Amino acid sequence: MFLYILGLVTVWYLYRWYKESKRVPNKGSKYVYITGCDSGFGNNLAKHLDKLGFCVIAGCYTEKGETELKKVSSERLTAISLDVAKSESVKKVAAFIKTLVGEKGLWAVVNNAGVATPSGPVDWLTIDDYKSMLAVNLNGVIDVTLSVLPLIKKARGRVVNVASVFGRIKGPDLNMAPFGVKVLCIEPGFFKTSVTDTVMLKNQFKGLWDRLPQDMKDDYGQTFLETSEFNQLRDSDLMKVVHCMEHAIASIYPRYRYSPGWDAKFLWLPISYMPTWISDRFFLRYSPKPKVSMI
């Protein structure tokens, strides 16, 4: 019986490998719009897709990011200034894209731009802290997507959202399925990018601590600050994520979820499937405890 099951699983994986190995034709006529291309995943994806022959529209937050990307790319790639937190900037880029792609429409938009700070215990943060992060990670994604969605629908293309393995508890948005639009999600584990820079994370965490009132510092205790580590093992091979992005864009049969990184596959995903009382106990067990903790 075990051999039959093993055989079926093997056949399934071979079938999936064969199916997912197929790529869309006519890459040179397909436009891909990527946000957050100054560095990290977005920068690598823009260069990778450019080499594959796609027409890339790379949104960069800084002028330096635009300049550096243009130096190492072909004439097919268009680097353009973009601040996803500002609707004026998003609308300006969308208008440019509409003129550029014409009746062909936009094959894909990759919502890659994101920030990871400020982050800390919930009672350390203010509503303005949340607003600054949501302006990029949530409102920016919605704004960018809506700004080009008519062009995506015209091409029956893709919306690729780069999130995190921690967001796996939310299901994919299938509202665009009737229009032939696939909404796909990339859920990386911990990779070595500017978003996960340990020095930056420690500095911002210390900044949050310094502005706390003394009574709250007393509740948490100095030990909490010292034991809040940001030394997770980070994978330096960003192409693991980039290849997932490329597959979501170029495969005829893309996956709805991609989870690049060994920590995502063997730690965070299994935890996400566990009953909440188990996953909660895991995080409580291995998270630093405030001084007044009752656990």
Side-chain angles (χ1 to χ4, degrees):
M1 183 63 181
F2 174 76
L3 292 177
Y4 285 115
I5 296 175
L6 181 62
L8 288 173
V9 171
T10 302
V11 170
W12 161 250
Y13 274 101
L14 286 173
Y15 167 73
R16 191 175 74 166
W17 170 81
Y18 171 74
K19 183 179 179 181
E20 293 182 352
S21 65
K22 295 183 178 181
R23 291 293 191 267
V24 294
N26 304 320
K27 296 183 180 68
S29 65
K30 289 180 167 57
Y31 286 85
V32 179
Y33 173 28
I34 311 168
T35 67
C37 292
D38 298 80
S39 61
F41 300 139
N43 183 270
N44 280 269
L45 178 64
K47 292 183 288 189
H48 183 63
L49 292 181
D50 180 51
K51 290 178 181 178
L52 291 178
F54 285 93
C55 297
V56 176
I57 305 164
C60 296
Y61 184 65
T62 65
E63 185 177 343
K64 180 182 178 182
E66 286 184 63
T67 303
E68 293 300 318
L69 191 54
K70 287 177 181 177
K71 288 180 182 179
V72 295
S73 306
S74 73
E75 294 182 355
R76 284 188 306 272
L77 185 143
T78 303
I80 189 168
S81 175
L82 173 66
D83 183 350
V84 300
K86 295 181 179 179
S87 288
E88 299 82 6
S89 177
V90 172
K91 289 177 182 177
K92 183 177 179 181
V93 174
F96 168 79
I97 292 174
K98 184 177 181 180
T99 302
L100 182 65
V101 303
E103 291 302 312
K104 292 190 292 292
L106 182 65
W107 176 247
V109 57
V110 182
N111 286 303
N112 167 76
V115 295
T117 57
S119 60
V122 64
D123 52 350
W124 291 23
L125 304 174
T126 68
I127 188 63
D128 289 330
D129 293 326
Y130 283 101
K131 286 180 179 178
S132 66
M133 184 178 290
L134 291 173
V136 176
N137 294 355
L138 177 61
N139 296 342
V141 171
I142 296 171
D143 202 5
V144 168
T145 301
L146 292 179
S147 73
V148 294
L149 197 54
L151 301 175
I152 295 284
K153 290 162 69 176
K154 184 177 291 187
R156 295 187 177 182
R158 283 95 189 271
V159 177
V160 182
N161 295 323
V162 181
S164 166
V165 70
F166 293 112
R168 193 168 180 83
I169 57 173
K170 295 185 67 178
D173 182 0
L174 299 179
N175 290 341
M176 288 293 104
F179 297 97
V181 175
K182 294 179 174 65
V183 179
L184 318 169
C185 191
I186 315 295
E187 303 169 333
F190 284 96
F191 282 82
K192 193 173 183 179
T193 70
S194 58
V195 173
T196 60
D197 181 73
T198 54
V199 174
M200 179 269 294
L201 290 172
K202 288 179 180 179
N203 288 339
Q204 73 83 32
F205 197 75
K206 181 61 165 57
L208 290 174
W209 171 267
D210 290 340
R211 77 182 190 187
L212 292 177
Q214 189 57 48
D215 59 341
M216 193 174 292
K217 288 183 179 180
D218 293 340
D219 285 345
Y220 277 90
Q222 186 69 26
T223 302
F224 182 89
L225 177 66
E226 296 170 353
T227 57
S228 295
E229 296 291 339
F230 297 94
N231 294 323
Q232 295 95 340
L233 185 61
R234 299 184 300 158
D235 195 329
S236 61
D237 186 5
L238 304 189
M239 293 306 295
K240 290 178 181 177
V241 179
V242 170
H243 285 310
C244 289
M245 292 172 160
E246 181 265 322
H247 189 272
I249 292 165
S251 174
I252 294 177
Y253 301 104
R255 301 182 188 182
Y256 285 99
R257 291 182 181 274
Y258 296 83
S259 301
W262 292 112
D263 60 327
K265 291 180 173 63
F266 294 107
L267 179 59
W268 307 118
L269 290 187
I271 289 177
S272 73
Y273 289 127
M274 291 179 182
T276 53
W277 67 270
I278 295 179
S279 59
D280 289 349
R281 179 170 294 184
F282 173 85
F283 284 108
L284 288 172
R285 170 67 178 81
Y286 292 103
S287 298
K289 306 293 189 298
K291 184 178 180 179
V292 297
S293 174
M294 299 177 63
I295 300 176

